[in-house]
Amino acid sequence: MRKHGRSKGLVAAGTALLVVGASGVAVAAPVPGVPAQRRTIADCANVGVDPPRVPDGPVTTLRLDGDSLTVDQAFRVLTAPRLRVSLSAGAIRTMREYRRDAVALVTRQSPPPPRVYGWNQALGPLKDRPISPAESKEFQKRVLASHGVATEPVLPGRIARLALVIRANQMARGHMGVRPELPGKFLELVNKGVTPVLPQVGSLGSGDLQPMAVAGQVATGIGGCASWARPGRPTRVGRAADILRAAGIAPVELEMGEALPIMSGSTVVAASAVAALHRAQAQADHAEGAFALFMEALRAEGSSLDPRTHDERRIPEERAVAARLRRLVRGTEFMTDRTRVRFNPDDSHRVQDAVSVRAAPHILASLRQSMDHVAKVLAPEMNASTSNPLVFREAGGRVGGGVGGGVGGGVEFVMGGNWDGAVLGHSLDALNAGLVDAGVLSQELSARLLSSRWSYGLPANLAGGKVGLNSGMVQLQTVATALIPEMQARAFPSGTLSRPAKDGQEDHNSMAMASARNLRENQVRLDTVLAVQYLMSAQGVDLVVHGIKDRAAPPRLGEGTRRIHDVIRQTIAELHDDRNLTPDLERMLHMVNGQAGEGLLRAVRGPAG
């Protein structure tokens, strides 16, 4: 019997030592240098997941065939409270046939089978080490365990869920050589509301090895954390094995060659790109809505929106932005010489506005181009076999027609770099740059409203009462200013920062996960910058009305800007005497990025959506 002095210990979660004594009972002992209260995704304690509660709603159904998953369908996977996703019968048949022939090839006795990475050979720098058929099942488990080394923060649950759907669709093509039971298990998790809690930090964009290894651990029930979301109930988080048992899901047992296809491929980056694009669509619309309301507050010159100018530039996105802005301010009386003089008699000789005002359609068009590029990259990415190796029919081969050069042709494994995330990562870097530039523009415009000289006579600091006694919105605008350098620092393209890893076997890495993380953080910041612009522009509009002293009717806003102003004022009162504006900013921020923002977004987009 082992004595207490020779107890054996295992480090768990980097937080405690599990000491097994003579009684066989494990007790926690502190690990030196690590706070005892620290809990992480490694022990599934105190892990916050998003969303903490899922609203109830209709079931969204989707059938995957490996070839036709669209960006709009991916958006629905992100937003639907309930999903029912399945594999098509054709995809299941194709996967079974490829799997049968691939296994037959790699296990044949004569001639000797080819050496295939991840099937009968080890991984990474150990690629030359053989794996015997007897070791294969154990190898799959150890691959997931060894590759799942990552840390927090964790991905939003909706992105993790979408990653499972995208990976299932990519597997449905058959070229990864996995059984249909594997993507089928991913979809069972999705359909029953079980989502792996995926860590963000670890992936180098050379396949999302770490987070997807954790997804594989959850599907097999051998590790990892999972959340269980049922509409109308709080989301439950716990060890994957416990969550699977509670949800009535049997773990899948992996067979030869199935661990690597789970991890290989930039699936989490793709899911993150879908989420970023979905959010960017709303943010680009808000940038245009906030700019239109700003133009009203500034009583700007409308000539910068003249369609002839934008037609001459021949940039489709620029034409579209200018057209939307014209619709938003259509019918305005603010942007007229009469109102300018009514408010400020000295404002009678305006020739043209500042560059930030005149060039806004061009700047926002660049953002739209970056968004279009991300969509074009995503469409084929979600319907491609992003893994290594891949199994293909030999020339002249047909499904079920033989194995490895047999009569009628067969299958062969091809090893390449289809997992690489460079194209995705660079597109996200470009989108990040476009969003940051929109944020810089927004901050410049809101700063213009603070200055009586730059705003053509608005009260200094947009103070609602006596200027001086009231400081107005100067510190509100400072919030936006403070975020801009953070956004600019996070806009540096991570795709240019490759680092070699893994004994030189992975000597170029796309760093696409860093691109995705930087973009996600900057989108959070951009919401605040846009919220500031909305608040200050609405205040500017009100101050123009108050500043007109004649007895004529106050000027009318444009069709769209009136809707926007009305929605804001239904929730947030105009600033008269100073008050703390933090609650106002929080409300406005919720209108920009929360469920309450649907009304504001509808106001920007108009009746046609």
Side-chain angles (χ1 to χ4, degrees), residues 8 71 75 128 228 251 277 412 448 457 460 464 474 520-521 554 596:
K8 130 177 123 167
V71 173
F75 286 164
D128 296 324
W228 186 21
L277 180 59
E412 61 180 333
R448 180 161 290 277
V474 62
R520 187 178 305 115
E521 291 179 15

Side-chain angles (χ1 to χ4, degrees), residues 292-305:
L293 195 60
F294 163 86
M295 291 186 78
E296 301 276 34
L298 195 73
R299 294 132 286 132
E301 290 281 353
S303 61
S304 62
L305 303 180

Side-chain angles (χ1 to χ4, degrees), residues 62-282:
L62 187 62
R63 192 175 298 277
L64 306 178
D65 60 11
D67 196 49
S68 57
L69 180 62
T70 67
V71 173
D72 283 341
Q73 287 173 328
F75 286 164
R76 292 203 292 274
V77 172
L78 274 177
T79 58
R82 298 171 184 256
L83 285 170
R84 184 64 56 197
V85 191
S86 60
L87 297 170
S88 71
I92 292 173
R93 182 171 57 253
T94 297
M95 294 179 73
R96 290 199 189 285
E97 290 167 343
Y98 270 113
R99 175 70 184 180
R100 178 195 63 213
D101 291 349
V103 171
L105 173 61
V106 83
T107 59
R108 71 186 181 188
Q109 299 300 310
S110 181
R115 296 193 303 165
V116 181
Y117 186 74
W119 285 66
N120 56 14
Q121 297 291 129
L123 301 181
L126 305 178
K127 64 186 185 302
D128 296 324
R129 304 292 180 93
I131 303 296
S132 70
E135 296 172 318
S136 185
K137 283 193 175 182
E138 182 62 26
F139 179 62
Q140 311 309 310
K141 297 177 184 178
R142 297 190 185 194
V143 163
L144 295 181
S146 65
H147 283 66
V149 182
T151 188
E152 300 177 72
V154 299
L155 285 162
R158 63 198 187 105
I159 295 179
R161 179 174 73 168
L162 177 57
L164 296 184
V165 173
I166 291 174
R167 201 60 181 161
N169 188 64
Q170 293 169 331
M171 288 178 172
R173 298 182 59 78
H175 297 297
M176 296 186 198
V178 302
R179 297 166 298 144
E181 286 79 5
L182 178 52
K185 187 59 61 176
F186 284 171
L187 298 184
E188 184 181 3
L189 294 174
V190 168
N191 294 337
K192 292 186 176 180
V194 174
T195 305
V197 178
L198 300 186
Q200 294 185 32
V201 180
S203 169
L204 302 180
S206 298
D208 292 316
L209 300 179
Q210 284 94 330
M212 288 304 291
V214 174
Q217 286 184 297
V218 170
T220 57
I222 60 174
C225 307
S227 66
W228 186 21
R230 291 166 290 174
R233 303 187 189 181
T235 299
R236 175 180 168 184
V237 182
R239 296 183 183 277
D242 298 334
I243 294 294
L244 294 183
R245 191 179 307 110
I249 300 174
V252 65
E253 186 174 3
L254 300 185
E255 298 184 359
M256 176 183 289
E258 290 188 322
L260 187 55
I262 294 175
M263 309 180 306
S264 181
S266 300
T267 315
V268 173
V269 172
S272 299
V274 172
L277 180 59
H278 186 260
R279 188 170 189 174
Q281 288 184 342

